Amino acid sequence: MTMQKLNEVSVRFVKGVGPAKSRLFMNLGIETIEDLLNFFPRRYEDRRHITPIAQVQLGEGQTIMGTVIRKASKKSWHTRKHVLDVIIDDKSGRMACTWFNQPYLEHYFKTGKTVVCYGKVDMYKNHLQMVSPEYEIIEAEQESLSLKRIVPIYPLTRGVTQRFLRKVIMSCIEDYQDSLEDELPVPIRNKYRLYNIKRSIENIHFPENFEDQENALKRISFEEFYFYQLSILLRRVNLKQKTGCAHTLSDSQVLNFVHAFSFELTSAQKRVIREIRADMAQPAPMLRLLQGDVGCGKTLVAFFGCYNAFINKKQSAIMAPTEILASQHYQNVQQMITSGVFGKMKVAFISSGLSRTEKETIHAQIHNGSIDIVIGTHALISEGVVFKDLSFAVIDEQHKFGVRQRSLLSQKGNNPDVLIMTATPIPRTLYISLYGDMDISVIDEMPPGRGNIRTELFRLEAQEQVYARIKQELKKGSQAYFVYPLIEESDKLDLKAAMGMYADFQKNIFKEYRVGLIHGRLSREETADVMRRFKAQEIDILVATTVVEVGVDVPNASVMVIEHAERFGLSQLHQLRGRIGRGGKDSLCLLVGDAKSPEGSKRLDAIVSTNDGFKIAQQDLMLRGPGHFFGRHQHGFSELKVANPATQLDLLALARKEALALSRSDPRLEKETNQGIREIILKRYPEYLKMVQAG
Ligand code: ADP
Ligand code: MG
């Protein structure tokens, strides 16, 4: 068989796929055979041993298999939802599997069919129950890929079933595995006794035992770590060889900045400003991560960089992930400008919500240099934005952006200094391996005079108590946030949502108060208007979704209720809570929810017991792993598909060691023997091509 480039062959040539199915595969990000082979299971089910229903453990995720003996559907009088109960019998016992508002499933579970269900088992009214389990109808006993083995479970899309994927991936492995090219250098593979690529791909999909699966995972993770590390290290070497603006600032200019504020800067802010000043003075571009808990005063530090650029007659930019946050920065910066010594500075705001003429005017002003600071959302990196001379760029809440967006912003200037800000700090060991291309500054101190935040946990049944507590606080003149996980009530989930509760509050529970609503589907004008009224204390209660997670700064709002708190990540809860406690008085955060798992209850315990963002981030990372912690697709290392820096730290260290050795011996990958690796890096990290070439 001739070697084929698997990243050039469309997946529709795989047996059983064809044009129609290949279009569905697009939804899973699979276009080529290479993509399909690298579409890894999200977990495995050990169907060599299926738990008899009589032996299931309560509260744990488990797989059962049995026959559909009965089903019943009804409308719940309580939540007005359609409820489907399917009773499954496996001779050892019976399990009720329950789905809400999915009436079409009724036809799917025909009596007499064999089904496999995976889910958490609860006890409900004296019988065993799984709510919304994953399910699979087993057509024929002897189906070899789905039974009596370790079975891969893939992420799905409409029209693509587990069984179909398994069949197609198996036949793809059989037909194309000889064309797989091993990208990991042989000496490294031998040194660490890693599987070759063929064996790894086979065993990551269809392992015969978990040891093989672990070895496959180890090899694939090592490879991901290795090339990722290499790209970072090369990137840093190349970055530091470039020439950007060497900003100069006199001591008296620094003092002017510091004295422009009505308050004293914290010593952490002063230290970080010194670090940034020194770094910006170098001709080599700065790439610096600024870590600091919510409310510690990072904006001011970012603004210092803008000021520095302005003094050096250059432009600066601040990019934030949401419109609310960007406009908040805009207002803050405007305030700093009008109240301070920066009178001549001109600042503009851009977002996708601007009209065409507004956009054109601002774009022209950015281009001709009459605007000094541009603050905005993703709209900042759109093509139409061309700076006259950008020398300093800030990215706020870095975990919401990817590497690509970051480098797009940098490319708007001539090797500008870049400051990346985050309120979700990570442990030092991890940061070195993940963000090893950056320098780091930390603000580990809060401005004085902040009130305390008290956090309390309530169960769902105690809802009335929560409302009563809030009324007490409102009577004292506070304003309150109510945060919900959803905008609107959903079919699939039995959860309260912002829109419904907003109506309910107005009509019933809080009818004597002024209630506002904010969520991601409002227009820019509506959002701005609601936020303005809340700030002006024309709204007492703001019903919200997580759009208020970052940046919102309303000091008089000192009470927050987070409903269904178990549905939020730990860092997210901490960010949300950071919206209160911004004024001088003490604040109150009430979490309402019931942990659905041991992990969930650890999360809620952690958030109640500490206000320290660094501790919380560590805990979060431990509990969830970095994939979820950073958001799989948005963090800077989404190139890591299976490798997990939190759980595979040792492997990461080895890969880093190898990458470091190579980057030292051949920092620009110019040696003849390294051309293969160079090609792989350019294939996997196309955005680094520009970096390397431009140097
Ligand atoms: P974050 O780090 O979360 O972005 P911000 O920069 O939004 O925090 O600052 C939060 C609030 O603290 C702002 O209202 C800001 O004006 C104020 N602030 C910043 N630094 C100080 C300080 N040294 N003393 C008092 N207040 C400060
Ligand atoms: Mg901030």
Coordinates of all heavy atoms in Angstrom, one line a residue, residues 263-266 269 292-300 329 332 336 396-397 421 423 443 447-448 450 551 553 555 579 582, ligand 1:
F263 N -6.6 57.5 45.8 CA -6.1 56.5 46.8 C -4.7 56.2 46.6 O -4.1 56.5 45.6 CB -7.0 55.3 46.8 CG -7.2 54.7 45.4 CD1 -6.2 54.0 44.7 CD2 -8.4 54.9 44.7 CE1 -6.3 53.5 43.4 CE2 -8.6 54.4 43.4 CZ -7.6 53.7 42.8
E264 N -4.1 55.6 47.7 CA -2.7 55.1 47.6 C -2.7 53.7 46.9 O -3.5 52.8 47.2 CB -2.2 55.0 49.1 CG -0.9 54.3 49.3 CD 0.3 55.3 49.1 OE1 0.0 56.5 49.1 OE2 1.4 54.9 49.1
L265 N -1.8 53.5 46.0 CA -1.7 52.2 45.4 C -1.2 51.2 46.4 O -0.4 51.5 47.3 CB -0.7 52.3 44.2 CG -1.2 52.7 42.8 CD1 -1.9 54.0 42.9 CD2 -0.2 52.6 41.8
T266 N -1.6 50.0 46.3 CA -1.1 48.9 47.2 C 0.3 48.7 46.8 O 0.8 49.0 45.7 CB -1.9 47.6 47.0 OG1 -1.7 47.1 45.7 CG2 -3.4 47.8 47.3
Q269 N 0.7 46.6 43.8 CA 0.5 47.4 42.5 C 1.7 48.1 42.1 O 2.1 48.1 41.0 CB -0.7 48.3 42.7 CG -2.1 47.7 42.5 CD -3.2 48.6 42.9 OE1 -3.1 49.4 43.8 NE2 -4.3 48.6 42.2
G292 N -3.9 38.1 39.5 CA -4.4 38.8 40.7 C -5.9 38.6 40.9 O -6.6 38.6 39.9
D293 N -6.2 38.4 42.1 CA -7.6 38.1 42.4 C -8.6 39.2 42.0 O -8.2 40.3 41.8 CB -7.7 37.8 44.0 CG -8.8 36.9 44.3 OD1 -9.6 36.5 43.4 OD2 -8.9 36.5 45.5
V294 N -9.8 38.8 41.9 CA -10.9 39.7 41.5 C -10.9 40.9 42.5 O -10.8 40.7 43.7 CB -12.2 39.0 41.7 CG1 -13.3 39.8 41.1 CG2 -12.2 37.6 41.1
G295 N -10.8 42.1 41.9 CA -10.9 43.3 42.7 C -9.6 43.8 43.3 O -9.6 44.8 44.0
C296 N -8.5 43.2 42.9 CA -7.2 43.6 43.5 C -6.7 44.9 42.8 O -5.7 45.4 43.2 CB -6.2 42.5 43.4 SG -5.6 42.2 41.7
G297 N -7.3 45.2 41.7 CA -6.9 46.5 41.0 C -5.9 46.3 39.8 O -4.9 47.0 39.7
K298 N -6.3 45.4 39.0 CA -5.4 45.1 37.8 C -5.6 46.2 36.7 O -4.7 46.5 36.0 CB -5.8 43.7 37.2 CG -5.4 42.6 38.1 CD -5.6 41.2 37.4 CE -7.0 40.9 37.2 NZ -7.8 40.7 38.4
T299 N -6.9 46.7 36.6 CA -7.1 47.7 35.6 C -6.2 48.9 35.6 O -5.7 49.3 34.6 CB -8.6 48.2 35.7 OG1 -9.4 47.1 36.0 CG2 -9.0 48.9 34.4
L300 N -5.9 49.3 36.8 CA -5.0 50.4 37.0 C -3.6 50.1 36.5 O -3.0 51.0 35.9 CB -5.0 50.8 38.5 CG -4.2 51.9 39.1 CD1 -4.8 52.3 40.4 CD2 -2.7 51.5 39.3
H329 N -14.4 48.9 31.5 CA -13.0 49.4 31.4 C -13.0 50.8 30.8 O -12.2 51.7 31.2 CB -12.2 48.5 30.5 CG -11.7 47.2 31.2 ND1 -11.3 47.2 32.5 CD2 -11.5 46.0 30.8 CE1 -10.9 46.0 32.9 NE2 -11.0 45.2 31.8
N332 N -14.0 53.3 33.2 CA -13.0 53.5 34.3 C -11.8 54.4 33.7 O -11.4 55.3 34.4 CB -12.5 52.2 34.7 CG -13.4 51.5 35.7 OD1 -14.3 52.2 36.2 ND2 -13.3 50.3 35.9
M336 N -10.4 57.9 34.8 CA -9.0 58.2 35.2 C -8.4 59.3 34.4 O -7.7 60.2 34.9 CB -8.1 56.9 34.9 CG -8.4 55.7 35.8 SD -7.2 54.4 35.5 CE -8.2 53.0 36.1
D396 N -7.6 41.1 28.7 CA -8.1 40.8 30.0 C -8.8 39.5 30.0 O -9.4 39.0 29.1 CB -9.1 41.9 30.3 CG -9.4 42.0 31.8 OD1 -8.7 41.3 32.6 OD2 -10.3 42.7 32.2
E397 N -8.8 38.8 31.2 CA -9.4 37.5 31.4 C -8.9 36.5 30.3 O -9.7 36.0 29.5 CB -10.9 37.6 31.4 CG -11.4 38.5 32.4 CD -11.1 38.1 33.8 OE1 -10.8 36.9 34.1 OE2 -11.1 39.0 34.7
M421 N -4.0 39.6 31.4 CA -4.4 39.6 32.8 C -5.4 38.4 33.1 O -6.2 38.1 32.3 CB -5.2 40.9 33.1 CG -4.4 42.1 32.7 SD -4.9 43.6 33.5 CE -6.5 43.9 32.8
A423 N -7.7 36.5 36.5 CA -8.1 36.5 37.9 C -8.2 35.0 38.3 O -8.6 34.7 39.4 CB -9.4 37.2 38.1
I443 N -0.2 40.2 41.7 CA -0.8 41.1 42.7 C -1.4 40.3 43.8 O -2.4 39.6 43.5 CB -1.8 42.1 42.2 CG1 -1.2 42.9 41.0 CG2 -2.3 43.0 43.3 CD1 -2.2 44.0 40.5
P447 N -6.8 46.1 47.9 CA -6.8 47.5 48.4 C -7.4 47.5 49.8 O -8.3 46.6 50.1 CB -7.7 48.2 47.4 CG -7.6 47.4 46.2 CD -7.5 46.0 46.7
P448 N -7.0 48.3 50.7 CA -7.6 48.4 52.1 C -9.0 48.9 52.0 O -9.5 49.4 51.1 CB -6.7 49.3 52.8 CG -6.1 50.2 51.7 CD -6.0 49.4 50.5
R450 N -11.9 47.3 52.2 CA -12.9 46.5 51.6 C -13.7 45.7 52.7 O -13.0 45.2 53.6 CB -12.4 45.4 50.6 CG -11.7 46.0 49.4 CD -12.7 46.2 48.3 NE -12.2 47.0 47.3 CZ -11.5 46.6 46.2 NH1 -11.3 45.3 46.1 NH2 -11.0 47.4 45.3
G551 N -15.9 41.7 35.7 CA -15.8 43.1 35.4 C -16.9 44.0 36.0 O -16.6 45.2 36.3
D553 N -18.9 46.3 38.2 CA -18.4 47.0 39.4 C -19.4 48.0 39.9 O -19.5 49.1 39.5 CB -17.1 47.7 39.0 CG -16.3 48.2 40.3 OD1 -16.7 47.8 41.4 OD2 -15.4 49.0 40.1
P555 N -20.5 49.2 43.5 CA -20.1 49.0 45.0 C -21.3 48.9 45.9 O -21.2 48.2 46.9 CB -19.4 50.3 45.3 CG -18.8 50.8 44.0 CD -19.8 50.3 42.9
R579 N -18.2 40.2 42.4 CA -19.0 41.3 42.1 C -19.5 42.1 43.3 O -19.8 43.3 43.2 CB -20.3 40.9 41.2 CG -20.0 40.2 39.9 CD -19.1 41.0 39.1 NE -17.8 40.3 38.9 CZ -16.6 40.8 38.9 NH1 -16.5 42.1 38.9 NH2 -15.6 40.0 38.7
R582 N -17.3 45.1 46.9 CA -16.5 46.1 46.2 C -16.6 47.5 47.0 O -15.7 48.3 46.8 CB -17.0 46.3 44.8 CG -17.1 45.0 44.1 CD -16.8 45.2 42.6 NE -15.9 44.1 42.2 CZ -14.9 44.3 41.3 NH1 -14.7 45.5 40.8 NH2 -14.1 43.3 41.0
Ligands
ADP1 P1 -9.7 43.7 39.0 O1 -8.3 43.3 39.4 O2 -10.7 42.7 39.4 O3 -9.8 44.0 37.5 P2 -10.3 46.4 39.3 O4 -9.1 46.9 38.6 O5 -11.6 46.5 38.6 O6 -10.0 45.0 39.8 O7 -10.4 47.2 40.7 C1 -11.5 47.1 41.5 C2 -11.8 48.4 42.2 O8 -10.8 48.7 43.1 C3 -11.9 49.6 41.3 O9 -13.1 50.3 41.7 C4 -10.7 50.4 41.5 O10 -10.9 51.7 41.3 C5 -10.4 50.1 43.0 N1 -8.9 50.2 43.3 C6 -7.9 49.7 42.6 N2 -6.7 49.9 43.2 C7 -7.0 50.5 44.4 C8 -6.3 50.9 45.6 N3 -4.9 50.8 45.6 N4 -6.9 51.4 46.6 C9 -8.3 51.5 46.6 N5 -9.0 51.2 45.6 C10 -8.4 50.6 44.5

